[in-house]
Amino acid sequence: MGTSIPAGRPSRLHLWGVRGWLLGGVAVGASVVVTVLGQVSGLAVPLVIAMVLGALFAPAVDLLARHRVPRSVGGLLVIAFLAGVLAVSGWLMVVGVAEQAPQIGASMAAGLDAVEGWLGARGVPVVEGSLREQADELVSASLGGASAYLPGLLTGTASFALGTAVGTFLVYYVITDWHALTAWVARHLGPDPELGTGIVLDTIGAVRTYFGSLTLSALVTAVLIGGAALVLDVPLALTIAVVTLVTSYVPYLGAIFSGAFATLIALGATDAGTALLMLLVVLVVQNVVQTIVLTRLTSTALRLHPIVTLGATIVGAALAGALGAMLSSPAVAVWVLVLGRLRRYEEQAQKRQTSGT
């Protein structure tokens, strides 16, 4: 005769079935979401960014609300602050390059002349001024060919403007109705509202922890690159540090923009050798130092092995580009936390049922 199961006590097969349905539902839901978002990517990216910004800046709206500032006004103030930071950073970059534009052109011409001299000294037949002429022709051809891409550029600009407007709208409502939104998600996330609340809190905590670690690593990167500019006697060292700090939140593209900005300023104000050294410092700090610091901080804070963090970043970048690289580590941390919470929930449910029999 088989062993009987006490009345009211779920079998192990039943518990594993519940776990399987929960995890299966999450996997199916995630695949459906990814498929739908792929079809409406123009709205998906602003939505994801809005949810991330909501998790990060909802506490600021809460703080303002405790000082009797209405949440609607607090949301507008937070959005104005974010827009101001982006506008000031862009202005610093444009003004810095514009101020150094004549020197940058002269330095590039001197660099091309130096290359001609180096080649001529080694017996390579080079007509004097030919490299500079070829560079001028290349720039002219590039500008002429760029007109063919003008319609696409205008379309991309319009799409960007529309996405920015939609994103701003979403961010405002997410940060002002943050608590109502998370409570609704928690009530509909699992069979138990308490379990759903725990999963929501795990997700919010992982996102805030990751971006806190990213901010610390960005500060380290900005100080090192700004300090290197100061040591090399490159002007606008503080501006270079600020631009590096702000663009650190944009994977890949942010590093390219900040590195190009620092190198161009160095090329215009000093010489080609100093600019090359500045570029080397930027490449080492952004690609080695920041990666190591961020991986270590996120691994410690999210309790993930550094290899898992690095691997998740690579997979996220391959699947979803810059946004996937940014959110892959907190997504893995959330997955681990949810598994642990489901396991504890099953154990507690089993204990309650056992004590009730």
Side-chain angles (χ1 to χ4, degrees):
M1 296 179 59
T3 31
S4 61
I5 300 174
R9 180 179 177 180
S11 65
R12 184 176 296 275
L13 180 62
H14 174 76
L15 291 176
W16 278 102
V18 171
R19 174 181 289 184
W21 275 108
L22 286 172
L23 296 181
V26 170
V28 172
S31 63
V32 171
V33 168
V34 169
T35 303
V36 173
L37 294 184
Q39 300 299 319
V40 291
S41 58
L43 294 176
V45 173
L47 177 60
V48 173
I49 294 176
M51 296 303 297
V52 171
L53 291 177
L56 296 177
F57 291 98
V61 179
D62 294 339
L63 178 62
L64 293 173
R66 287 195 293 270
H67 289 80
R68 300 182 180 180
V69 178
R71 295 191 67 86
S72 57
V73 177
L76 291 175
L77 291 176
V78 169
I79 290 177
F81 169 77
L82 294 174
V85 170
L86 293 176
V88 169
S89 301
W91 179 79
L92 289 174
M93 182 178 293
V94 172
V95 170
V97 173
E99 287 181 351
Q100 301 295 328
Q103 292 87 345
I104 291 172
S107 297
M108 293 182 67
L112 292 175
D113 291 340
V115 172
E116 286 184 0
W118 184 85
L119 292 175
R122 283 155 180 78
V124 179
V126 178
V127 179
E128 183 177 356
S130 62
L131 291 182
R132 190 185 304 183
E133 291 176 359
Q134 291 176 13
D136 292 339
E137 292 175 0
L138 178 61
V139 171
S140 300
S142 299
L143 293 177
S147 60
Y149 297 95
L150 187 58
L153 178 62
L154 294 176
T155 303
T157 303
S159 301
F160 176 78
L162 178 61
T164 301
V166 172
T168 303
F169 178 82
L170 291 173
V171 170
Y172 173 75
Y173 280 101
V174 166
I175 60 179
T176 53
D177 296 335
W178 178 251
H179 298 293
L181 178 62
T182 53
W184 183 89
V185 173
R187 288 195 303 269
H188 295 81
L189 192 58
D192 186 351
E194 183 179 353
L195 176 62
T197 301
I199 293 175
V200 169
L201 292 177
D202 288 340
T203 304
I204 296 172
V207 170
R208 289 176 179 171
T209 299
Y210 172 78
F211 279 94
S213 302
L214 179 59
T215 300
L216 290 176
S217 68
L219 285 172
V220 172
T221 303
V223 169
L224 290 176
I225 293 179
L230 194 62
V231 170
L232 295 174
D233 201 22
V234 175
L236 304 176
L238 180 59
T239 302
I240 291 173
V242 171
V243 171
T244 302
L245 175 63
V246 174
T247 55
S248 293
Y249 293 95
V250 183
Y252 307 127
L253 293 178
I256 293 173
F257 279 121
S258 62
F261 175 71
T263 305
L264 286 175
I265 296 299
L267 182 62
T270 57
D271 52 31
T274 304
L276 185 61
L277 186 58
M278 189 72 218
L279 176 61
L280 181 62
V281 170
V282 169
L283 291 175
V284 171
V285 171
Q286 289 185 337
N287 293 283
V288 179
V289 176
Q290 186 177 19
T291 302
I292 293 175
V293 173
L294 180 59
T295 302
R296 173 56 62 184
L297 289 174
T298 53
S299 300
T300 303
L302 298 177
R303 298 180 181 178
L304 296 175
H305 193 278
I307 296 299
V308 175
T309 303
L310 183 59
T313 303
I314 295 173
V315 173
L319 294 178
L323 192 62
M326 181 184 296
L327 299 178
S328 56
S329 294
V332 172
V334 168
W335 180 256
V336 174
L337 291 172
V338 169
L339 288 179
R341 186 171 291 276
L342 288 175
R343 183 171 57 253
R344 292 191 298 272
Y345 174 78
E346 292 174 0
E347 293 174 353
Q348 292 173 0
Q350 189 173 9
K351 289 180 181 178
R352 286 195 298 268
Q353 292 171 354
T354 303
S355 61
T357 55

